[in-house]
C-alpha cells in the first residue's frame, strides 16, 4: 500500500486546511455573541485525541500523495467537499448571528470533517482516512457532549 504514495508537498491540502481554518481564526480573534464554544470542555481526553488526529490528518493530507491520483479538478467529490465547506461557513454565520442550536452545532462539527474526508477520497489518500475518521468521531463527541446533551 505505501508503494502507491510518495512524500510530496500537497499545496492543495495546505490551502484546504487554511481555508477551513479561516472561520476559526476569526473566532479566535473576535468572540461571537452568545459564544458557548469558549466554555470549558468536559471531554478533555476526547479533545486530546482529536487534536492528535487533527495534526496527523493535516500532515497526511499535506505530505502524502498517491501516485495514482489525477490532477485536482472539478469532480463530484471535490464538489461535495465544497458544499460541506459552504455548510460549515453558513453555520459560522448563523453562530455569529446569535443562533445556537443543534443544527448549528452539528454544522460546526460535521461539515468541516466531511470536507477533509471528501478531499482525501478524491486524492486517493487512504493514509489520511484513518486520522480523519477518528478526528470526525472525536469532534462529534465533543460537540454533542459539550453543547447538545
Amino acid at each position: 500500500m505505501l508503494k502507491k504514495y510518495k512524500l510530496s508537498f500537497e499545496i492543495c491540502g495546505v490551502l484546504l486546511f487554511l481555508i477551513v481554518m479561516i472561520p476559526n481564526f476569526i473566532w479566535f480573534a473576535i468572540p461571537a455573541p452568545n459564544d458557548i464554544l469558549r466554555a470549558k470542555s468536559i471531554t478533555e481526553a476526547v479533545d486530546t485525541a482529536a487534536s492528535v488526529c487533527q495534526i496527523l490528518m493535516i500532515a497526511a493530507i499535506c505530505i502524502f500523495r498517491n501516485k495514482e491520483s489525477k490532477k485536482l479538478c472539478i469532480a463530484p467529490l471535490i464538489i461535495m467537499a465544497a458544499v460541506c465547506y459552504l455548510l460549515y461557513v453558513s453555520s459560522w454565520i448563523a453562530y455569529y448571528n446569535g443562533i445556537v442550536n443543534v443544527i448549528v452545532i452539528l454544522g460546526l462539527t460535521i461539515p468541516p470533517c466531511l470536507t477533509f474526508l471528501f478531499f482525501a477520497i478524491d486524492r486517493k489518500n487512504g493514509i489520511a482516512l484513518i486520522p480523519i475518521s477518528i478526528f470526525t468521531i472525536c469532534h462529534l463527541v465533543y460537540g454533542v457532549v459539550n453543547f447538545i446533551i
Side-chain angles (χ1 to χ4, degrees), residues 99-116:
I99 302 169
V100 180
N101 59 32
V102 172
I103 293 170
V104 171
I105 295 299
L106 291 176
L108 295 172
T109 305
I110 298 169
C113 300
L114 293 178
T115 301
F116 289 114

Side-chain angles (χ1 to χ4, degrees), residues 15-31:
L15 291 175
L16 178 66
F17 171 69
L18 292 173
I19 289 167
V20 170
M21 289 304 294
I22 288 171
N24 292 280
F25 297 146
I26 294 169
W27 176 76
F28 285 129
I30 306 167

Side-chain angles (χ1 to χ4, degrees), residues 40-82:
K40 182 165 173 48
S41 176
I42 61 171
T43 56
E44 289 182 25
V46 172
D47 302 347
T48 300
S51 294
V52 169
C53 287
Q54 184 178 32
I55 291 166
L56 294 173
M57 166 183 83
I58 299 310
I61 285 175
C62 295
I63 64 171
F64 289 106
R65 185 178 213 143
N66 188 320
K67 294 174 187 173
E68 297 173 1
S69 67
K70 297 176 182 170
K71 186 175 179 181
L72 188 65
C73 63
I74 297 175
L77 288 166
I78 297 301
I79 292 169
M80 291 168 64

